[in-house]
Amino acid sequence: MWHVTLPAVRGVTIMLLVLRLGDVLSVGFEQFLLQRDAVGARASEVLDTYVYYHGVVYGDWGIGAVAGLVKGVVGALMIWGANRLAHAFGEQGVYSK
């Protein structure tokens, strides 16, 4: 197990880590949106609902666009960092250097 199975699974595990880190900031927009009235707006505010309410509902497209852009940039930086970590472990990652 230590010399065959775990080294064979390491590449797949690191690849899945790299691919899933881009989606780590998404927390299930629908659940928070539907439960917003029951628990209160301050308790259920996440980045996705912030973008939705400020961008679409209130019509403040600038704030909504900036919040969505920051979320995308942070996700991309996390993917880039995880890919660098994959290269440090000697794996291929999502893309080559």
Side-chain angles (χ1 to χ4, degrees):
M1 181 174 143
W2 294 105
H3 300 291
V4 176
T5 304
L6 292 179
V9 174
R10 185 178 74 175
V12 174
T13 304
I14 290 176
M15 178 66 73
L16 287 174
L17 171 72
V18 171
L19 293 176
R20 292 295 298 166
L21 273 180
D23 196 38
V24 75
L25 295 177
S26 298
V27 291
F29 168 73
E30 297 85 10
Q31 293 175 356
F32 287 100
L33 184 66
L34 293 174
Q35 295 176 1
R36 185 178 174 102
D37 294 332
V39 297
R42 293 185 52 91
S44 67
E45 190 74 47
V46 293
L47 193 57
D48 292 334
T49 58
Y50 182 84
V51 169
Y52 173 72
Y53 274 100
H54 283 279
V56 177
V57 174
Y58 301 141
D60 192 3
W61 294 101
I63 296 294
V66 167
L69 182 65
V70 166
K71 178 183 171 186
V73 167
V74 169
L77 287 173
M78 291 177 75
I79 290 173
W80 178 76
N83 196 55
R84 300 263 311 181
L85 183 67
H87 291 304
F89 277 114
E91 298 296 328
Q92 183 178 1
V94 176
Y95 57 89
S96 300
K97 287 185 183 184

